[in-house]
Amino acid sequence: MKRHLNTLFVTTEGSYLAKDGQAVAVRIENETRLRIPLHNLDGIVCFGRVGFSSALAGACADSGVTLSLLTPNGKFLASVVGYSPGNVLLRRQQYRAADEAAATAEIAKNVVLGKIANARSVLLRGARDQKSAEAAERLRAVAKGMAGTLNLIRQSDDVDTVRGYEGESASRYFSAFSELVSVPEFAFTKRSRRPPLDAMNALMSFIYALLMHDARSACEATGLDAAVGFLHRDRPGRPGLALDLMEEFRPFLADRLALSLVNRKQVNGRGFETTESGAVRMDDETRKTVLTAYQTRKQDEIEHPFLGEKVSIGMLVHLQARLLARHLRGDLDQYPPFIWK
Amino acid sequence: MHVLVTYDVATVNSAGKRRLRRVAKICLDFGQRVQNSVFELHVNPAQWAECRKRLIEACEPLEDSLRFYQLGNDYGAKVEHVGAKPSLDTEGPLIV
């Protein structure tokens, strides 16, 4: 089975990545800062003004390392992708399923079930840790409402209905989300993106972008087409399937990571600044803290609820991509979403 | 798995110097240099087989020596570093 490998994050403006033998060398002002063999890496993520050689881009594509370019705030710009590995039969199955309303609805349904179940768990976990009984009660009430939605989704068989329930429970979830933030500087009112308008949103958007890079790599590595999704409609340039795969992990991995960074005061309000347009961005140091926390979190081990095996959290998205591939091939009746217990 | 590779290549003539450069290059493809002729490799068994074969082929058995130390997966407790040139943890967060 594929091992969970490391990701190299390059955040220093003006760095240059070169291929050095079978390794990547990071040069800053003509001095090699870091040199690491490509086979130890799963991906390279460049933030902002970072250059790289075409030889490196080729070597990355060849050895299955995803090289992504992001803006300093973590917005995805581009990635270098080689020949899609895996087999054409699987991709054809994926396209067929995406064209078929019933099959699409079935997968979208499971993705949303996973997402909402995990969002509920985040709220309930928050309620247990809550000091004020009133806030805990509010969290439990919202979680209860979401449990009702879960039942409605189980009975629906139309993808648009599923999308409707997804939107409804997402807004419920975010309406209660502010109770989970215990630091006033990061007070959360509502979800805002493109651009994020407060520090909490900026933090979440950034972590979502990291998750997105991983989900995309997982699709590529499994041989699925990252652009053809089920819950997410096709749109040029949008990696629909990667976004689908991400849904189950948003609450469990991204939101909880953002919350613990804030509540444990690993990041503070001074690390964020508001630009003229009202967009909030984080400074270099905060970004490094977040990246370190994200990488460390991915190394934590957890038992996979469906496979019953101990795996690292970073591996989960790859496993989900494989389970989806098994469902598309017809080896599994349904796509089993990752549900955090 | 983690492997420690050390070598001594006889560099009395230009052929030896060439062998030295070649051996170093192979090691660099698979791992990181921790001291002048000491490398730490983090490889899977297939990669190790390839690396080992290439190293052995690059050496002259009568003049050079190669030593491989298998550190296994739990190598953290087996390695201690003191002084300059700290090594890079290829499994830790990599942020530049």
Side-chain angles (χ1 to χ4, degrees):
Chain A
M1 194 172 78
K2 192 183 179 313
R3 282 197 60 240
H4 165 224
L5 295 171
N6 215 334
T7 308
L8 168 67
F9 295 101
V10 187
T11 62
T12 313
E13 292 266 314
S15 347
Y16 184 75
L17 310 181
K19 176 174 172 286
D20 182 358
Q22 282 306 304
V24 48
V26 184
R27 294 193 190 131
I28 299 169
E29 286 164 0
N30 286 326
E31 186 201 331
T32 302
R33 279 284 182 87
L34 191 101
R35 191 188 172 290
I36 180 157
L38 280 172
H39 69 74
N40 287 142
L41 294 176
D42 209 22
I44 303 177
V45 184
C46 307
F47 293 93
R49 211 166 52 78
V50 173
F52 57 85
S53 70
S54 52
L56 178 73
C60 283
D62 198 37
S63 50
V65 175
T66 316
L67 176 65
S68 294
L69 305 184
L70 273 61
T71 66
N73 305 323
K75 184 172 159 264
F76 180 86
L77 293 175
S79 87
V80 174
V81 177
Y83 283 114
S84 293
N87 75 56
V88 60
L89 300 176
L90 173 64
R91 258 174 290 146
R92 271 195 192 272
Q93 285 293 351
Q94 183 188 350
Y95 301 146
R96 278 192 205 111
D99 282 341
E100 218 179 279
T104 302
E106 201 59 38
I107 296 171
K109 206 163 104 175
N110 284 322
V111 166
V112 174
L113 283 174
K115 178 185 186 179
I116 299 178
N118 291 341
R120 262 192 85 225
S121 305
V122 168
L123 296 183
L124 289 173
R125 164 75 69 105
R128 278 204 295 279
D129 297 344
Q130 196 59 252
K131 283 185 198 79
S132 116
E134 202 182 319
E137 201 41 59
R138 225 174 358 242
L139 286 169
R140 281 199 198 96
V142 174
K144 203 173 167 208
M146 285 164 84
T149 316
L150 281 175
N151 282 326
L152 291 172
I153 293 173
R154 277 196 201 100
Q155 286 150 24
S156 55
D157 48 11
D158 163 63
V159 71
D160 282 322
T161 322
V162 172
R163 285 180 185 129
Y165 286 134
E166 199 251 310
E168 186 204 82
S169 57
S171 69
R172 272 200 201 162
Y173 170 69
F174 283 119
S175 75
F177 197 75
S178 63
E179 306 286 0
L180 304 175
V181 184
S182 61
V183 179
E185 283 174 313
F186 286 91
F188 180 90
T189 43
K190 66 176 193 349
R191 175 84 185 115
S192 58
R193 60 211 180 106
R194 278 177 259 156
L197 299 175
D198 58 47
M200 194 66 204
N201 274 295
L203 186 58
M204 281 159 69
S205 290
F206 184 74
I207 302 174
Y208 289 156
L210 299 178
L211 191 53
M212 165 73 194
H213 166 91
D214 289 343
R216 209 183 170 118
S217 310
C219 294
E220 296 292 341
T222 312
L224 292 163
D225 188 335
V228 179
F230 299 94
L231 177 66
H232 291 84
R233 261 174 270 220
D234 290 357
R235 192 192 290 165
R238 179 160 88 168
L241 187 65
L243 290 166
D244 285 3
L245 270 183
M246 235 177 101
E247 293 296 352
E248 298 142 46
F249 297 100
R250 279 178 199 263
F252 158 73
L253 184 54
D255 298 351
R256 264 169 44 89
L257 183 68
L259 286 170
S260 60
L261 280 168
V262 166
N263 291 342
R264 288 185 195 151
K265 301 199 170 63
Q266 282 168 280
V267 295
N268 61 49
R270 282 188 309 272
F272 294 81
E273 53 171 24
T274 312
T275 59
E276 275 170 30
S277 61
V280 172
R281 47 162 299 165
M282 55 178 100
D283 65 14
D284 291 351
E285 205 174 309
T286 308
R287 207 163 50 196
K288 277 191 183 162
T289 314
V290 178
L291 289 172
T292 311
Y294 181 71
Q295 275 307 94
T296 321
R297 181 79 184 120
K298 283 207 300 189
Q299 286 171 347
D300 288 349
E301 291 206 328
I302 190 172
E303 190 179 296
H304 192 285
F306 182 77
L307 300 168
E309 255 180 79
K310 247 193 161 179
V311 289
S312 64
I313 286 178
M315 201 55 214
L316 286 173
V317 66
H318 286 268
L319 288 172
Q320 288 308 119
R322 302 215 164 177
L323 288 173
L324 180 62
R326 273 165 68 181
H327 167 62
L328 291 170
R329 286 195 172 108
D331 298 343
L332 283 175
D333 289 345
Q334 293 223 326
Y335 164 66
F338 170 77
I339 293 177
W340 176 47
K341 291 217 176 106
Chain B
M1 60 198 253
H2 278 79
V3 186
L4 187 78
V5 174
T6 66
Y7 54 74
D8 249 345
V9 177
T11 51
V12 280
N13 51 27
S14 62
K17 284 184 182 127
R18 199 174 321 136
R19 287 204 305 277
L20 179 73
R21 280 196 298 274
R22 199 174 295 155
V23 169
K25 237 179 189 164
I26 296 168
C27 290
L28 275 171
D29 276 355
F30 289 89
Q32 63 167 325
R33 176 171 243 149
V34 288
Q35 279 174 0
N36 279 337
S37 42
V38 181
F39 287 80
E40 275 177 24
L41 276 49
H42 178 201
V43 283
N44 66 32
Q47 287 160 344
W48 172 238
E50 186 197 337
C51 175
R52 185 176 170 276
K53 177 168 172 283
R54 279 173 58 187
L55 284 172
I56 292 171
E57 279 171 1
C59 283
E60 195 62 65
L62 294 177
E63 294 174 54
D64 312 335
S65 89
L66 279 170
R67 289 183 79 85
F68 308 136
Y69 300 81
Q70 305 282 346
L71 298 178
N73 284 324
D74 182 31
Y75 74 106
K78 294 178 186 147
V79 182
E80 186 187 347
H81 183 96
V82 178
K85 297 193 208 164
S87 72
L88 180 76
D89 176 12
T90 49
E91 283 173 290
L94 294 171
I95 303 166
V96 207

